Amino acid sequence: HLPNELGKLRNVESLILDRNTFDKLPSSIYGMANLSEIRFADNGVTALPNEFVRLSKISFIDCTNNPMDDPNPAVIRGGMSSIREYFQRKTVQCTGRRPAFHMDVNAIRAAVGSL
């Protein structure tokens, strides 16, 4: 467990979290605005959260030996632009699956008028 204050270290450029027992990245890191390198090899991380894209200056990611499946390792190897695109698509797919209810304005007026 990392302290929440870690996210206040905005000038940190490199973060090495190798060989720990993380099953997810600590949420405190997403405030580290100047982070350009993150290493979290040999953990148990299975997914990157949407918040990961807030680390916009990341140019190097080492997540080897993690059971990553969301996004898959190929997306991560593509770098931040690939990760950003993945989460944008995932968001569109999720919002696209929500059921939509459409009703004509005249139908609404008729329904309200009949109450």
Side-chain angles (χ1 to χ4, degrees), residues 2-16:
L2 295 175
N4 289 334
E5 292 77 19
L6 186 69
K8 295 178 183 176
L9 302 174
R10 301 199 180 280
N11 292 324
V12 172
E13 294 179 4
S14 179
L15 183 62
I16 300 171

Side-chain angles (χ1 to χ4, degrees), residues 30 47-55 70-71 80 83-84 86-88 90-91 94:
Y30 301 115
L48 294 180
N50 293 351
E51 294 86 4
F52 193 81
V53 298
R54 292 185 355 205
L55 301 173
D70 185 26
M80 282 306 284
I83 294 169
R84 236 180 255 107
Y86 171 81
F87 282 117
Q88 286 171 346
K90 188 174 178 181
T91 301
C94 289

Side-chain angles (χ1 to χ4, degrees), residues 31-102:
M32 303 175 82
N34 289 308
L35 202 60
S36 62
E37 174 183 2
I38 185 165
R39 297 172 183 262
F40 56 98
D42 301 307
N43 280 282
V45 178
T46 59
L48 294 180
N50 293 351
E51 294 86 4
F52 193 81
V53 298
R54 292 185 355 205
L55 301 173
S56 61
K57 294 186 178 182
I58 293 283
S59 60
F60 182 83
I61 303 167
D62 179 6
C63 61
T64 53
N65 296 325
N66 281 282
M68 294 292 294
D69 61 6
D70 185 26
N72 66 50
V75 171
I76 295 169
R77 280 192 300 274
M80 282 306 284
S81 61
S82 181
I83 294 169
R84 236 180 255 107
E85 182 180 333
Y86 171 81
F87 282 117
Q88 286 171 346
R89 280 192 199 155
K90 188 174 178 181
T91 301
V92 168
Q93 288 174 353
C94 289
T95 57
R97 290 183 187 158
R98 281 194 279 167
F101 181 71
H102 299 284

